[in-house]
Amino acid sequence: MASSSGDDERNTEGVSWRLIGPATGLSNKRCRLMYSSLGHSSDVCLFYVKGEFFAMDARCAHSGGPLCEGDIEEADGVLQVFCPWHDYDFDLRTGKSGTSLQQKVYEVKLEDGNVYVKHGSCLSLQPFPADQKAEHPQPLSLHETAVASPLGLFLRLVPQTQAIRNIPKPYLSFSQTVSTLIAVHSG
């Protein structure tokens, strides 16, 4: 679904209100990933909790974890999302964490039954075609990440650890598993 209509749809230079869709359809899920026309690092989570919509950067300010996959809890009247990677918490209204981290939040408004998010790029509930992102650098492959940074490789592999836990030969060492994953993903 397109993020805005008319001339605003082509305006990715400045921040403006982006049409996300009808509130009735968006309110049936606690969190939705909104893809940015600027690429992966500018994606946004749209949360619907206790009758309200909230929007914040989709990648955790700590290590880039997927906040749309995090748990949402209320503590002392504060709605928070917890990063699934390292359990960092972020206030859905302010983006503040119990640590010194700050997550970027975006204004959300309801108008004529539709949800709008104030953002600097087009937003969509579907990924943008690759040619629309051609002017933006693509993420490194697993092999390039491993060469550039062993920690970067580890962080790229964290989501795959769920599958690793279920391998038929659990006696394989972590390094063997990483080597296997690099071989599979790079070619």
Side-chain angles (χ1 to χ4, degrees):
M1 183 178 311
S3 65
S4 61
S5 60
D7 295 330
D8 285 344
E9 193 168 295
R10 291 171 191 79
N11 178 11
T12 58
E13 294 294 321
V15 175
S16 62
W17 288 106
R18 309 298 178 168
L19 172 64
I20 305 305
T24 54
L26 294 169
S27 63
N28 60 12
K29 194 171 178 185
R30 284 189 90 166
C31 185
R32 293 178 185 272
L33 178 62
M34 296 185 298
Y35 297 91
S36 168
S37 61
L38 297 177
H40 180 75
S41 63
S42 297
D43 292 345
V44 174
C45 289
L46 179 68
F47 297 97
Y48 182 75
V49 184
K50 294 194 168 211
E52 288 185 72
F53 287 97
F54 306 92
M56 70 172 43
D57 278 344
R59 314 287 171 243
C60 176
H62 173 242
S63 291
L67 291 181
C68 282
E69 297 174 18
D71 291 329
I72 301 169
E73 298 178 13
E74 182 176 9
D76 299 323
V78 177
L79 294 171
Q80 301 174 23
V81 61
F82 288 82
C83 178
W85 286 4
H86 303 107
D87 211 32
Y88 280 81
D89 63 307
F90 297 97
D91 183 320
L92 290 178
R93 292 181 196 285
T94 66
K96 291 183 181 175
S97 175
T99 66
S100 61
L101 294 175
Q102 174 72 42
Q103 193 71 15
K104 175 102 171 113
V105 295
Y106 301 94
E107 292 179 69
V108 179
K109 74 176 180 179
L110 292 174
E111 189 175 282
D112 299 325
N114 289 309
V115 177
Y116 294 82
V117 174
K118 199 170 196 178
H119 195 265
S121 74
C122 293
L123 297 172
S124 172
L125 296 172
Q126 301 298 321
F128 285 89
D131 61 341
Q132 282 189 307
K133 292 183 183 180
E135 68 271 9
H136 303 289
Q138 296 299 313
L140 296 175
S141 70
L142 281 178
H143 180 70
E144 291 168 325
T145 303
V147 171
S149 162
L151 177 60
L153 172 65
F154 175 76
L155 294 175
R156 293 278 307 273
L157 296 176
V158 167
Q160 298 177 34
T161 58
Q162 300 301 329
I164 293 170
R165 289 182 192 156
N166 297 324
I167 60 174
K169 297 178 182 177
Y171 54 84
L172 287 175
S173 72
F174 179 75
S175 63
Q176 288 172 317
T177 304
V178 169
S179 298
T180 302
L181 286 170
I182 290 172
V184 167
H185 280 67
S186 59

